């Protein structure tokens, strides 16, 4: 099986690529290695992947339709796992065009290539951010998500709509994954857990938003990868019971399906920091700040659909996951 993984030098893309490489899949990776965060970290991940003969890499922008089309011509992909995107809620307030280019135009490039080169399965990375102003907890795929509170979330919601449209028009089986605060070794330096760890080690202040009155459904990277792999062969089919008078957002008359990928156990931010403090053996200097534009108070994934369809539940506790991250961080920062 030839699998295309976009964003292969990114956090989730790296771990997924490495797991599939070890299982003897042929992986074609695409990433533009942009400087949104430390390019050195992206290159370190990539260098680990390039050691394997069954991994090939192309440094392309996904919005470059000509290059993407040529890749599809060359490899005839069975499965496409589209993880490449401009991430981050706060950065979308500063650089909105990067979100339109990557998350909208880039996705269109992938969809057009899947249209002209039919694939067995397109897996698309969305985000828990699409739940936006929703306050019904836990967040369910069956809920309406029409009230995003950041441009990042709006582009991810737009991507879901685009993917559904192509699924309907061109019979492309699409699985849409809503990730909930993924963390772990080789993670993104712009994420709170990474910044907290770095600052605690260096004795610097950490910024705690909404005075710590926040909860996040932190999901360990190995659990996320396991879920994606289980879903590769769970190819969506049209829901014969879909009701156009009472439409369910989680499925469709088209071969389209939505899943939350979360831990199903939200953690209070101050409790999260306390776990980090115990693992590192050092107290954090906290700077309490108000709620930031685009943020939400709580994320909490209902993973009933994931458990029902592929028999999966996450296994990694926040203590175990953070310990593994801190061990990696300590090693990586001292290299």
């Amino acid at each position: 099986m030839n699998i295309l993984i976009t964003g292969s030098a990114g956090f989730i893309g790296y771990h997924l690529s490495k797991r599939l490489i070890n299982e003897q899949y042929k992986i074609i990776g695409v990433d533009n290695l942009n400087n949104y965060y430390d390019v050195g970290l992206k290159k370190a991940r990539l260098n680990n992947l390039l050691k394997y003969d069954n991994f090939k890499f192309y440094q392309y922008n996904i919005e470059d339709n000509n290059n993407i089309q040529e890749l599809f011509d060359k490899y005839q992909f069975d499965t496409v796992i589209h993880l490449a995107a401009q991430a981050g809620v706060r950065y979308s307030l500063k650089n909105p065009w990067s979100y339109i280019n990557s998350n909208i135009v880039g996705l269109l490039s992938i969809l057009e290539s899947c249209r002209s080169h039919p694939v067995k399965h397109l897996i698309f990375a969305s985000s828990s951010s699409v739940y936006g102003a929703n306050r019904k907890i836990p967040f369910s795929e069956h809920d309406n998500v029409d009230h995003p509170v950041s441009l990042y979330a709006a582009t991810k919601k737009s991507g879901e709509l685009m993917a559904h449209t192509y699924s309907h028009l061109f019979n492309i089986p699409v699985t849409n994954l809503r990730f909930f605060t993924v963390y772990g070794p080789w993670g993104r330096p712009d994420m709170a857990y990474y910044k907290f760890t770095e600052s605690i080690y260096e004795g610097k202040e950490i910024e705690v938003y909404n005075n710590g009155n926040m909860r996040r459904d932190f999901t360990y990277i190995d659990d996320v990868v396991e879920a994606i792999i289980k879903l590769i062969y769970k190819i969506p089919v049209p829901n014969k019971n879909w009701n156009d008078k009472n439409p369910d957002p989680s499925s469709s008359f088209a071969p389209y399906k939505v899943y939350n990928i979360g831990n199903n156990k939200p953690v209070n931010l101050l409790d999260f920091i306390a776990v980090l403090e115990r693992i590192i053996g050092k107290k954090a200097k906290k700077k309490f700040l108000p709620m930031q534009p685009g943020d939400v108070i709580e994320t909490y994934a209902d993973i009933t659909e994931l458990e029902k369809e592929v028999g999966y539940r996450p296994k990694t506790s926040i203590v175990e996951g953070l310990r593994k991250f801190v061990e990696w961080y300590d090693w990586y920062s001292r290299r």
Side-chain angles (χ1 to χ4, degrees), residues 2 22 48 65-66 87 100 105 110 180 183 194 201 217 219 221 239-240 260 269 278 302 304 312:
N2 285 345
N22 285 330
N48 286 339
N65 186 56
N66 290 334
I100 301 302
V105 180
I110 297 296
F180 282 70
Y183 75 101
Y194 198 118
Y201 265 107
D217 200 349
T219 313
I221 183 62
N239 180 358
K240 295 178 181 178
N260 288 334
L269 185 57
R278 289 198 299 272
D302 182 337
T304 304
Y312 174 77

Side-chain angles (χ1 to χ4, degrees), residues 269-319:
L269 185 57
L270 293 178
D271 292 338
F272 180 85
I273 293 168
V275 173
L276 263 183
E277 290 173 326
R278 289 198 299 272
I279 293 170
I280 295 171
K282 191 175 181 181
K283 282 288 184 182
K285 299 176 181 178
K286 304 180 188 72
K287 180 181 181 181
F288 291 98
L289 295 170
M291 192 75 166
Q292 298 296 292
D295 258 353
V296 297
I297 291 175
E298 181 174 15
T299 64
Y300 181 178
D302 182 337
I303 57 171
T304 304
E305 287 292 314
L306 189 63
E307 186 173 20
K308 180 178 73 174
E309 294 295 334
V310 294
Y312 174 77
R313 286 195 65 84
K315 299 176 181 178
T316 311
S317 70
I318 196 70
V319 173

Side-chain angles (χ1 to χ4, degrees), residues 57-84:
F57 177 73
Y58 294 84
Q59 187 173 342
Y60 290 159
N61 286 313
I62 53 171
E63 55 265 40
D64 187 340
N65 186 56
N66 290 334
N67 281 334
I68 299 300
Q69 288 278 355
E70 287 176 4
L71 272 186
F72 275 73
D73 286 339
K74 183 173 182 178
Y75 290 103
Q76 298 297 312
F77 298 112
D78 299 287
T79 298
V80 174
I81 304 176
H82 180 47
L83 303 175

Side-chain angles (χ1 to χ4, degrees), residues 39-58:
V39 177
L41 175 58
K42 295 180 181 182
K43 289 182 176 179
R45 294 177 187 139
L46 180 59
N47 287 337
N48 286 339
L49 299 177
L50 289 170
K51 297 173 184 177
Y52 298 90
D53 292 336
N54 53 328
F55 177 80
K56 303 296 181 185
F57 177 73
Y58 294 84

Side-chain angles (χ1 to χ4, degrees), residues 7-17 31 37 41-42 45 83 181-189 191 193 219-222 224-225 325:
S8 57
F11 174 36
I12 299 175
Y14 163 69
H15 282 276
L16 179 62
S17 296
D31 203 295
Y37 62 80
L41 175 58
K42 295 180 181 182
R45 294 177 187 139
L83 303 175
T181 316
V182 186
Y183 75 101
W186 297 96
R188 283 170 31 204
M191 297 288 284
Y193 71 91
T219 313
Y220 189 66
I221 183 62
D222 289 357
V224 170
V225 168
F325 169 73

